[in-house]
Amino acid sequence: GQNIDQPTEMTATEGAIVQINCTYQTSGFNGLFWYQQHAGEAPTFLSYNVLDGLEEKGRFSSFLSRSKGYSYLLLKELQMKDSASYLCAVGLGAGKSTFGDGTTLTVKP
Amino acid sequence: EAGVVQSPRYKIIEKKQPVAFWCNPISGHNTLYWYLQNLGQGPELLIRYENEEAVDDSQLPKDRFSAERLKGVDSTLKIQPAELGDSAVYLCASSSHAGDTQYFGPGTRLTVL
């Protein structure tokens, strides 16, 4: 089976930095996606990592270590609008992918 | 560019009734996905289409669920008859090709009473 682990909930303060971890054990791997999902809305794409290392995109960065089965999403200069669920998804190959259950981030003033 | 369109946004039905959801993917996207999402969980794949062919329907409960993607563009997901446990959000997504970034529609929130 496919297994993706993320913390269920996290809380952080506006203006701070938060790191959301994702570990995976899957039968295949050809990339890792992060999606943001606000309550009652659809997931929206944030980042994609296929090689080891850090990908930076504005306030958001994503890191991947394939040997460790580990990724994290780093959010800097947190804003209230960043309160959402963050989904880690692994591409399994052959067009398949599997999603974690998401981490609900609450940003407090 | 228009995103993925789904309708209806909300649906309330009684158990044992049929229900259908419609999805129009982003223009030019070959791959279309139907997901089920329960509260506090990630999306779970029901079926994936490559053009008009269903290439992964292993998680689709075929005794009551059916789907079609005629002409390889828009798609319909049907449940007949609906059960209480089917209450969830049904998400449609599309990607340019299999394995590429997926773009999601707003979803249909189904409540079965």
Side-chain angles (χ1 to χ4, degrees):
Chain A
Q2 320 298 345
N3 191 48
I4 298 180
D5 286 321
Q6 304 180 235
T8 303
E9 296 179 336
M10 297 184 72
T11 302
T13 304
E14 192 176 16
I17 299 173
V18 70
Q19 178 174 311
I20 302 175
N21 295 325
C22 170
T23 58
Y24 61 90
Q25 290 179 301
T26 56
S27 57
F29 180 87
N30 71 348
L32 189 141
F33 299 84
W34 283 96
Y35 290 84
Q36 180 190 58
Q37 186 174 26
H38 284 101
E41 299 182 11
T44 56
F45 170 75
L46 287 177
S47 67
Y48 174 63
N49 293 69
V50 64
L51 299 176
D52 289 352
L54 187 68
E55 295 278 346
E56 296 186 77
K57 191 185 296 185
R59 294 189 299 115
F60 292 8
S61 302
S62 56
F63 172 83
L64 175 67
S65 170
R66 290 172 296 172
S67 62
K68 296 182 179 178
Y70 169 67
S71 174
Y72 67 73
L73 181 69
L74 192 71
L75 290 74
K76 303 176 185 177
E77 301 170 14
L78 280 173
Q79 302 176 9
M80 298 300 290
K81 67 179 182 179
D82 296 330
S83 292
S85 179
Y86 291 86
L87 299 165
C88 172
V90 173
L92 303 174
K96 298 184 178 220
S97 59
T98 187
F99 285 77
D101 285 338
T103 298
T104 299
L105 173 67
T106 301
V107 180
K108 296 186 174 180
Chain B
E1 179 181 307
V4 177
V5 179
Q6 288 188 249
S7 68
R9 292 294 312 278
Y10 304 91
K11 188 75 177 178
I12 300 174
I13 60 172
E14 294 189 347
K15 63 181 180 180
K16 300 185 181 180
Q17 294 299 306
V19 64
F21 314 124
W22 178 80
C23 172
N24 189 259
I26 292 173
S27 178
H29 279 194
N30 296 324
T31 308
L32 184 146
Y33 313 75
W34 282 104
Y35 289 93
L36 176 156
Q37 186 175 30
N38 287 304
L39 189 64
Q41 297 183 13
E44 300 172 24
L45 181 70
L46 290 172
I47 190 167
R48 173 168 62 96
Y49 281 93
E50 296 294 335
N51 298 304
E52 65 275 10
E53 181 182 1
V55 295
D56 186 355
D57 63 356
S58 57
Q59 301 303 311
L60 189 74
K62 298 181 184 64
D63 57 335
R64 297 185 300 108
F65 287 63
S66 63
E68 61 182 12
R69 190 185 184 196
L70 300 177
K71 301 182 180 178
V73 182
D74 56 351
S75 175
T76 303
L77 177 70
K78 298 178 181 178
I79 308 175
Q80 182 171 12
E83 297 179 351
L84 295 176
D86 296 331
S87 294
V89 175
Y90 291 82
L91 293 167
C92 178
S94 70
S95 63
S96 180
H97 298 284
D100 289 348
T101 299
Q102 297 179 40
Y103 296 89
F104 287 81
T108 297
R109 182 174 297 277
L110 173 68
T111 301
V112 182
L113 302 176

